[in-house]
Amino acid sequence: MAASFISRMAPPRLRIFYAILAIFVVVALFAPWIAPENPNSQNLLGRLKPPGSDVRGITYWIGSDELGRDLLSRVIYGARVSLMVAVLSVVGSGLVGTSLGMIAGYYRGVTGTVIMRLVDIVLSVPAILLAIITVAIMGPGLVNVVIVLAFTRWPRYARVAYGQTLGLMSLPYVRLSQTMGAAGPWVIRRHILPNIIGPIMVVVTLEIGLMVLFEAGLSFLGLGVQPPTPSWGAILSSGRNYMTTAWWIAIFPGLCLFTLILSVNVLGDHVRDMVEKRR
Amino acid sequence: MTDAPVLEMRDVTVSINGNPVVDHLSLHVDPGETLALVGESGCGKSLTALSVLNLLPDVATRSAGAINLQGSRIDTLSQRQMDAVRGSRIGMIFQEPVASLDPLMRIGRQITEALRLSGPVSSTEAEKRAIAMLDRVGIREPALRVTQYPFELSGGMCQRVMIAIAMIRQPALLIADEPTTALDVTIQAQILELMADLRRDLGTAVLLITHDMGVVAEIADRIAVMYAGRIVETGPVNEVLGTPAHPYTALLLRTVPRIDGPRKKMLPAIEGIVPEATDWPEGCRFRDRCPLATEICAEMPPLAAKGRESHRAACWHSDRVAEVA
Ligand SMILES: Nc1ncnc2c1ncn2[C@@H]1O[C@H](COP(=O)(O)OP(=O)(O)O)[C@@H](O)[C@H]1O
Ligand code: SF4
Ligand SMILES: [Mg+2]
């Protein structure tokens, strides 16, 4: 059973994407041990050096930036920021959205209507616009980015949780639990949540990639994490000015973004297929 | 107090969009007794049962009447107060045995959950009681079964598990809504036997809902025949089945396969269907389908109080029912 589970979740053609994802996660977790240099230490003699340059015993494997900082170290630390923001905002929005969606689906009535109207309202504003406005008000920074993303993204989970919960409400096992005297919170926690977690996980996998992109976008616009903290979006943003003279600054974080999001999306599609096949 | 009915419903009305689909219904179940509520699909049996638990679907509301459980009113309780009644004083089982169990929860856990709803229990104690209860409802290897998931059990076993869940807190009343309809005949007989057994041992009163007169004859003490939201005939099983006083009852009885009859013969169904509450005729609601109907049936609804105290029928022509059978 364990073997067949692995072959279903990770068929050979997908293992490369799992490997890429695993590498990013390991790099993010162990950045301080993996990065060859301090990502913020500047070196005026080593500015804008191309990949492979050696300056006073320091090797810039993928080059250096306009302040002579080691780009490899910055990209490695940037993975940390990107993944942390993505995971935290997905957890935050997932918890809020799933809870509200289940409550709306279970109690329906006025409670349900109010929650789902709120969902419609938040969803009707373009997410990136909402994020920009909120950051503009609350100020930039890593914590605020997470809060903003959680706040703008919960309705997606709420919609899925609401629809799934409505579907479960007419099922006999939910009914049996109610006839046994179980109140709403009991039924929601023990019978609804475990049975809708599959579709919620599909949203999670889709959102993770999107959150990495959003963080990069906000940082690119200067609304995300603030210098000198390295983030892929921020590095891309400053590298934009040197595209002709020092292409590596923008290319490497861009490549990282691309491969990470590609892997997450391919794996997300697979999770969705698995969940849908299970019905 | 001890001889107060376990359940007493008086003039209970359940409406959907203002139409009474259960219409001033009264019935009672005495301690230790099994009352069969019988009628074709759509006549309001399930809504009657759900109105007792105050778990009607969103579209339906209980608009009149009183419900007493062991002598005290429960229809005036809030949902929160009802949570303490459901499960601990009234248990319910229903038709879909497999779908009634959470597919992602082990059997043992589903039974111990029922115990936990009454208050904290240690997990070893709860597990011990779950295994004992599974043994009691006739499941072999109960210690193995508690670790399994519903998909690993047959329909009959799932029905036994549901009975275990409903009975583990020893409620005074068990409501069984078509508990054997989804099961094949041999399993059906076993489940009915189990229910009769448990009732004898634990003294539980049972409200058994069914459309199968064969089931009624097997385990009920009394019978209430329901048609279009109303009780049309009620009385002790042998009297009602022996000498029905309502043509609907007589026609329902004709649909029961005889033990001595040919096995696979098509049974005669009653012509027509139960009309929706919006289409109920004036006078007697059964008159469009009734072979005995006369003018008076169209003019005035028949009184429910006709006949002897214990055996009553709501029909103008009770004395002619023998012609139907
Ligand atoms: N959830 C519901 N929504 C709309 N109508 C319903 C619902 N449940 C029951 N009804 C209607 O109420 C009537 C009685 O239903 P029910 O009590 O389920 O009958 P029975 O259990 O005797 O088959 C039927 O006419 C049915 O159409
Ligand atoms: S009252 Fe008339 S229509 Fe109704 S059941 Fe009796 S004979 Fe038939
Ligand atoms: Mg029914």
Side-chain angles (χ1 to χ4, degrees), chain B residues 7 9-16 19-22 25 47-68 73-79 82 86 90:
Chain B
L7 174 71
M9 305 177 74
R10 252 184 216 293
D11 290 325
V12 171
T13 298
V14 175
S15 306
I16 293 181
N19 294 305
V21 287
V22 174
L25 176 138
L47 291 181
T48 303
L50 292 173
S51 74
V52 174
L53 288 167
N54 199 359
L55 283 176
L56 290 168
D58 289 350
V59 291
T61 50
R62 198 171 53 197
S63 45
I67 301 173
N68 285 288
R73 275 188 83 159
I74 57 168
D75 58 303
T76 48
L77 299 181
S78 68
Q79 285 292 355
M82 274 307 286
R86 297 181 198 122
I90 308 175

Side-chain angles (χ1 to χ4, degrees), chain A residues 4-275:
Chain A
S4 80
F5 179 77
I6 289 173
S7 72
R8 263 186 305 128
M9 283 315 287
R13 75 191 158 82
L14 291 183
R15 289 194 187 150
I16 176 78
F17 297 105
Y18 276 106
I20 292 173
L21 187 62
I23 289 171
F24 276 114
V25 170
V26 168
V27 164
L29 285 175
F30 299 103
W33 292 273
I34 293 171
E37 303 295 331
N38 179 330
N40 295 329
S41 73
Q42 308 181 2
N43 179 356
L44 292 183
L45 296 176
R47 292 165 59 195
L48 300 175
K49 293 294 179 209
S53 311
D54 259 321
V55 177
R56 288 199 183 165
I58 295 175
T59 308
Y60 297 110
W61 293 104
I62 60 170
S64 67
D65 69 4
E66 72 279 12
L67 296 175
R69 296 175 294 198
D70 178 37
L71 193 58
L72 180 60
S73 302
R74 289 189 69 71
V75 170
I76 285 171
Y77 272 87
R80 200 167 223 219
V81 172
S82 289
L83 285 179
M84 189 158 72
V85 169
V87 168
L88 289 180
S89 53
V90 162
V91 168
S93 52
L95 283 179
V96 172
T98 307
S99 308
L100 288 176
M102 289 191 301
I103 290 170
Y106 190 89
Y107 293 102
R108 301 176 301 279
V110 180
T111 318
T113 310
V114 168
I115 291 174
M116 295 322 286
R117 279 294 152 286
L118 205 59
V119 165
D120 292 339
I121 292 169
V122 178
L123 278 184
S124 69
V125 182
I128 194 81
L129 183 67
L130 198 57
I132 290 171
I133 294 171
T134 325
V135 173
I137 295 166
M138 288 175 40
L142 194 141
V143 176
N144 285 357
V145 169
V146 170
I147 293 173
V148 163
L149 290 181
F151 177 70
T152 48
R153 301 307 298 176
W154 66 267
R156 252 188 113 175
Y157 300 90
R159 272 223 172 136
V160 173
Y162 175 71
Q164 294 288 327
T165 305
L166 277 188
L168 292 185
M169 288 308 289
S170 57
L171 292 189
Y173 67 83
V174 171
R175 164 92 342 153
L176 179 67
S177 184
Q178 292 169 331
T179 66
M180 292 309 295
W186 177 291
V187 182
I188 288 175
R189 192 156 26 109
R190 301 181 192 227
H191 298 291
I192 308 266
L193 181 60
N195 280 289
I196 69 167
I197 203 74
I200 294 294
M201 285 318 289
V202 172
V203 182
V204 165
T205 56
L206 295 176
E207 285 283 296
I208 282 265
L210 210 55
M211 289 308 94
V212 171
L213 260 187
F214 268 36
E215 183 279 327
L218 287 174
S219 296
F220 187 87
L221 296 171
L223 299 169
V225 299
Q226 292 302 289
T229 312
S231 116
W232 291 344
I235 303 172
L236 257 173
S237 173
S238 62
R240 185 182 40 150
N241 304 321
Y242 302 93
M243 271 311 283
T244 48
T245 52
W247 51 268
W248 51 89
I249 303 181
I251 289 298
F252 285 105
L255 267 179
C256 286
L257 265 178
F258 173 75
T259 41
L260 174 61
I261 289 166
L262 178 71
S263 309
V264 168
N265 285 354
V266 169
L267 296 177
D269 282 349
H270 182 60
V271 170
R272 192 191 55 211
D273 291 347
M274 300 304 306
V275 168

Side-chain angles (χ1 to χ4, degrees), chain B residues 156-171:
Chain B
M157 273 199 268
C158 285
Q159 189 58 282
R160 287 173 194 267
V161 171
M162 213 200 313
I163 292 173
I165 291 173
M167 296 298 288
I168 196 162
R169 286 193 274 166
Q170 308 204 350

Side-chain angles (χ1 to χ4, degrees), chain B residues 28-305:
Chain B
H28 67 98
V29 188
D30 287 328
E33 174 188 60
T34 297
L35 173 72
L37 183 61
V38 187
E40 289 163 291
S41 185
C43 64
K45 306 182 298 294
S46 294
L47 291 181
T48 303
L50 292 173
S51 74
V52 174
L53 288 167
N54 199 359
L55 283 176
L56 290 168
D58 289 350
V59 291
T61 50
R62 198 171 53 197
S63 45
I67 301 173
N68 285 288
L69 184 69
Q70 297 176 302
S72 54
R73 275 188 83 159
I74 57 168
D75 58 303
T76 48
L77 299 181
S78 68
Q79 285 292 355
R80 179 162 298 205
Q81 290 168 317
M82 274 307 286
D83 279 337
V85 173
R86 297 181 198 122
S88 67
R89 296 175 65 198
I90 308 175
M92 182 159 179
I93 59 176
F94 21 77
Q95 187 173 336
E96 308 92 332
V98 183
S100 295
L101 300 176
D102 188 330
L104 299 182
M105 200 182 268
R106 289 179 202 277
I107 300 298
R109 176 95 188 279
Q110 307 207 30
I111 303 173
T112 56
E113 293 270 281
L115 283 175
R116 292 215 172 79
L117 281 164
S118 284
V121 221
S122 80
S123 36
T124 43
E125 164 74 10
E127 167 135 348
K128 223 172 66 198
R129 285 179 64 185
I131 291 175
M133 194 66 207
L134 278 186
D135 191 46
R136 181 66 194 79
V137 297
I139 287 190
R140 263 167 301 199
E141 302 182 86
L144 166 72
R145 296 300 179 189
V146 290
T147 65
Q148 293 185 316
Y149 289 93
F151 76 89
E152 298 175 80
L153 273 59
S154 67
M157 273 199 268
C158 285
Q159 189 58 282
R160 287 173 194 267
V161 171
M162 213 200 313
I163 292 173
I165 291 173
M167 296 298 288
I168 196 162
R169 286 193 274 166
Q170 308 204 350
L173 175 70
L174 177 70
I175 301 178
D177 190 352
E178 313 250 10
T180 59
T181 305
L183 304 171
D184 70 51
V185 183
T186 36
I187 309 290
Q188 238 182 50
Q190 292 170 10
I191 295 289
L192 290 177
E193 197 177 318
L194 169 65
M195 286 177 56
D197 248 28
L198 283 172
R199 177 183 66 134
R200 216 178 22 249
D201 291 1
L202 305 173
T204 317
V206 180
L207 175 60
L208 173 73
I209 294 175
T210 180
H211 62 259
D212 183 345
M213 280 292 195
V215 169
V216 175
E218 209 143 334
I219 68 165
D221 300 309
R222 281 191 309 116
I223 177 172
V225 181
M226 190 169 180
Y227 185 79
R230 282 188 182 154
I231 304 287
V232 294
E233 179 167 10
T234 178
V237 161
N238 36 18
E239 280 187 38
V240 174
L241 300 197
T243 52
H246 196 286
Y248 182 58
T249 314
L251 287 169
L252 279 180
L253 280 169
R254 286 212 321 210
T255 66
V256 183
R258 299 252 179 92
I259 304 218
D260 52 0
R263 275 239 113 167
K264 284 271 184 274
K265 201 175 148 235
M266 276 286 285
L267 296 163
I270 307 174
E271 239 164 79
I273 51 159
V274 186
E276 289 285 324
T278 43
D279 303 331
W280 285 342
E282 294 287 305
C284 175
R285 288 176 186 168
F286 188 55
R287 70 181 161 86
D288 292 344
R289 302 169 73 191
C290 181
L292 303 180
T294 58
E295 259 166 42
I296 186 171
C297 306
E299 282 159 18
M300 251 192 292
L303 304 170

